[in-house]
Amino acid sequence: MFIRITKRIFRDLAIYMIMLGVAVGIAFPFFVVLFGVPRATAFHPLFFGACIVAGVLLAAMNIGLARRVVGSRIRVLSRQMKHVEGILANRDGQEGCVRCTPESCSITVDSDDELGDSAESFNRLIRTLSEVLEAQADLQRFSEMLASHLDLDALARETLQTLLDATHANGGAILAERGGELTVEASCAINDENTLCVNPLIHHAMGRRVRQVIHLPEDLALDGVLTQYRPRELVVEPILYKQVIIGIIVLAGVAPFTERSLARLTAYNPILSMAFNNAITHQQMQQLAALDALTGIYNRRFGYNRIQEEFSRAIRAGSALSLIMLDIDHFKAINDTYGHMVGDKIIVLITKTITGAIREGDLLIRYGGEEFLCVLPGASQSDAYFVAERIRIMVRDTILKHHDQALCVTVSLGTASYPNANISDIQQFINMADDAMYNAKKSGRNRVVSAGENTVLTEVDTPV
Ligand code: GH3
Ligand code: MG
Ligand code: MG
């Protein structure tokens, strides 16, 4: 049993060793008498003194050796511990784990004993600590990235890139689920991304509501293999928010996914699900704010801002911009005769007809109850006239079946074009199209009038 004398182990050890040296020095003369040394010599004060001094010197040498051999290793351990402690104390974000690599913080293991064991344990501790700090910093970076995007498109794109990097996947996609429908929000290295929405593997994973890691045998020919290469493993990970599937992550790898990759996916999922839900809600709110509930096209308020944008762009680029104002003829009579519900159906049908008559990039705005405004970037006055005429004819030829009756309506259209007319603001621009439309009404309905010109297509007013 080692009774502590001072607060320092090596000092206690030194005291014990010196006491042992003195005891050995005192015992030595008695010992040598047993081997026949004359008592007078052995017990002579000088010999006694020399033995004690020799015992003390030996103790001092032992202390020196212990400090050098054992103490030096303990000092290295202590120095590295202080180094790591300092790093942890001053750690800011990811920097801590960058500075404390296993190389910079570990200890050389050069003995096969308790000191070697403790050095090895320390090194393992550092490795684990490094991994934990790295994972924490990684999660923090991921959260910051998510927090910086509210737009679903950008969020899905950035998230997919992060997931591909984190899991070393070769391709993948992020799908959003809305009312049972899947849509691809982002994809990378997938041949035909739309096949993902109907892929049975994905629907199976959605049914199970938990991650599916699917091993694909080498000889398995998967439909188009989803990807531009031949994956050996697929991960299909549902994104759940309050137990409801709001999205799906699909990752494809030519090599199996490691446990570490899957663990990162597990760590990312809860924060991703929150951000994904926020982005979907944001998108829905924006759509609600921008779109007309009956027809699904831009409402007047949002449409007005879009016209403003297009007008500014046309002025900057010196390009043409045309507006077509459209109003259904005798619509009140439709409502009065067949009821509001039928009137609504006609408004929806006309919306579809106009959408089919304009180009992608053109805007359609529900400007009033049964008034529509088409915005045609790049269209000159004659272009606008021909588009308006196409709309007029397509609407005229559209039939709504109501019981055994075939209902059809006509529309009157007015166009206004920049830069033909001297237009200073968009309200003036819209008023010009509106006035032209009013002229079309005045001159008999079911016709197109271009502002500033008397370009009128005359046709017999079609009664309801
Ligand atoms: P005109 O040829 O001069 O345009 O005659 P009109 O009867 O169409 O006259 P006006 O454009 O002033 O009529 C607007 C009518 O459209 C009045 C209203 O009952 C109807 N209306 C407006 N919004 C809606 C809607 O959302 N649904 C239905 N069913 N009717 C609507
Ligand atoms: Mg009207
Ligand atoms: Mg009308």
Side-chain angles (χ1 to χ4, degrees):
M1 178 111 146
F2 185 75
I3 297 169
R4 299 291 309 276
I5 303 164
T6 68
K7 290 200 169 200
R8 303 179 74 142
I9 301 271
F10 274 110
R11 192 167 287 169
D12 281 4
L13 193 65
I15 292 167
Y16 277 110
M17 280 189 171
I18 286 165
M19 281 162 58
L20 190 68
V22 171
V24 169
I26 292 169
F28 195 71
F30 296 95
F31 187 69
V32 295
V33 167
L34 294 176
F35 287 89
V37 175
R39 281 174 160 267
T41 311
F43 297 139
H44 190 277
L46 264 179
F47 188 69
F48 238 103
C51 288
I52 291 168
V53 169
V56 171
L57 281 178
L58 199 64
M61 279 163 66
N62 273 336
I63 294 161
L65 271 175
R67 288 192 82 96
R68 200 174 168 78
V69 177
V70 181
S72 65
R73 278 162 175 77
I74 294 174
R75 273 194 298 280
V76 169
L77 186 64
S78 148
R79 197 174 55 233
Q80 289 296 71
M81 280 179 172
K82 278 189 190 141
H83 175 54
V84 174
E85 187 201 350
I87 286 173
L88 287 178
N90 299 322
R91 192 166 68 89
D92 47 348
Q94 50 170 300
E95 217 190 317
C97 68
V98 172
R99 283 189 293 161
C100 192
T101 57
E103 293 71 37
S104 69
C105 295
S106 64
I107 298 170
T108 314
V109 179
D110 62 354
S111 66
D112 193 10
D113 52 15
E114 289 87 345
L115 285 174
D117 283 351
S118 44
E120 227 165 50
S121 300
F122 178 80
N123 290 347
R124 272 199 300 275
L125 188 73
I126 292 302
R127 267 198 300 277
T128 311
L129 191 65
S130 262
E131 283 168 11
V132 169
L133 292 179
E134 201 183 316
Q136 193 192 17
D138 187 53
L139 215 55
Q140 192 176 334
R141 277 195 299 272
F142 188 61
S143 307
E144 281 166 8
M145 182 280 286
L146 293 179
S148 66
H149 295 292
L150 197 51
D151 173 56
L152 186 59
D153 265 12
L155 181 93
R157 243 180 298 118
E158 288 269 339
T159 300
L160 181 62
Q161 199 47 56
T162 308
L163 294 180
L164 292 176
D165 292 345
T167 60
H168 306 292
N170 301 82
I174 294 188
L175 283 66
E177 204 271 5
R178 292 183 198 87
E181 291 268 310
L182 284 177
T183 48
V184 179
E185 297 299 328
S187 78
C188 173
I190 302 279
N191 262 346
D192 182 1
E193 52 183 42
N194 291 323
T195 61
L196 286 177
C197 303
V198 290
N199 189 286
L201 293 174
I202 289 168
H203 283 273
H204 175 70
M206 281 176 74
R208 302 284 296 271
R209 299 162 59 80
V210 288
R211 173 187 303 160
Q212 304 287 301
V213 180
I214 302 151
H215 306 275
L216 306 171
E218 298 241 355
D219 53 348
L220 179 79
L222 211 69
D223 62 344
V225 193
L226 303 175
T227 57
Q228 293 151 9
Y229 42 85
R230 189 161 255 242
R232 292 278 57 89
E233 206 162 76
L234 282 185
V235 173
V236 184
E237 170 104 346
I239 307 169
L240 296 168
Y241 184 76
K242 293 189 177 167
Q243 303 305 314
V244 176
I245 293 185
I246 55 169
I248 298 275
I249 300 166
V250 183
L251 296 172
V254 291
F257 289 90
T258 60
E259 264 186 43
R260 196 179 146 96
S261 298
L262 297 178
R264 284 176 102 175
L265 204 53
T266 307
Y268 286 163
N269 197 320
I271 39 175
L272 173 61
S273 96
M274 275 216 290
F276 208 68
N277 185 61
N278 286 347
I280 287 176
T281 312
H282 175 71
Q283 194 185 53
Q284 285 167 346
M285 298 299 282
Q286 277 199 321
Q287 281 174 355
L288 275 181
L291 302 185
D292 167 57
L294 178 67
T295 56
I297 59 175
Y298 289 139
N299 59 28
R300 183 182 182 140
R301 193 169 56 89
F302 188 81
Y304 200 85
N305 294 339
R306 291 289 288 111
I307 302 172
Q308 182 73 66
E309 282 169 24
E310 292 299 337
F311 188 49
S312 306
R313 192 173 301 151
I315 291 172
R316 270 201 315 275
S319 56
L321 178 71
S322 288
L323 300 183
I324 302 174
M325 184 66 87
L326 177 155
D327 186 286
I328 306 176
D329 297 331
H330 304 305
F331 195 60
K332 207 170 165 311
I334 292 270
N335 276 333
D336 294 346
T337 316
Y338 302 101
H340 235 73
M341 293 276 274
V342 173
D344 282 359
K345 277 189 188 164
I346 287 180
I347 289 177
V348 172
L349 195 63
I350 285 183
T351 306
K352 283 192 188 136
T353 308
I354 303 172
T355 309
I358 56 176
R359 282 183 312 191
E360 211 180 307
D362 294 344
L363 306 174
L364 179 58
I365 299 159
R366 190 170 178 205
Y367 197 69
E370 34 80 84
E371 284 163 28
F372 296 85
L373 187 59
C374 298
V375 185
L376 315 176
S380 66
Q381 185 170 16
S382 57
D383 295 336
Y385 179 80
F386 284 110
V387 174
E389 183 54 14
R390 187 163 64 224
I391 293 172
R392 187 187 70 79
I393 290 169
M394 284 172 73
V395 171
R396 185 197 62 188
D397 296 344
T398 301
I399 293 169
L400 176 80
K401 286 235 175 317
H402 176 62
H403 303 307
D404 49 356
Q405 276 183 293
L407 304 185
C408 41
V409 290
T410 58
V411 288
S412 299
L413 308 98
T415 76
S417 301
Y418 173 87
N420 297 54
N422 188 17
I423 300 163
S424 54
D425 65 80
I426 59 160
Q427 193 50 59
Q428 185 198 354
F429 199 1
I430 294 169
N431 289 347
M432 283 174 76
D434 201 35
D435 290 347
M437 189 271 290
Y438 185 68
N439 284 338
K441 289 272 184 200
K442 268 203 316 198
S443 53
R445 296 184 174 80
N446 185 24
R447 65 199 57 212
V448 179
V449 171
S450 295
E453 274 188 22
N454 288 326
T455 323
V456 180
L457 184 114
T458 316
E459 191 166 294
V460 182
D461 190 7
T462 319
V464 180

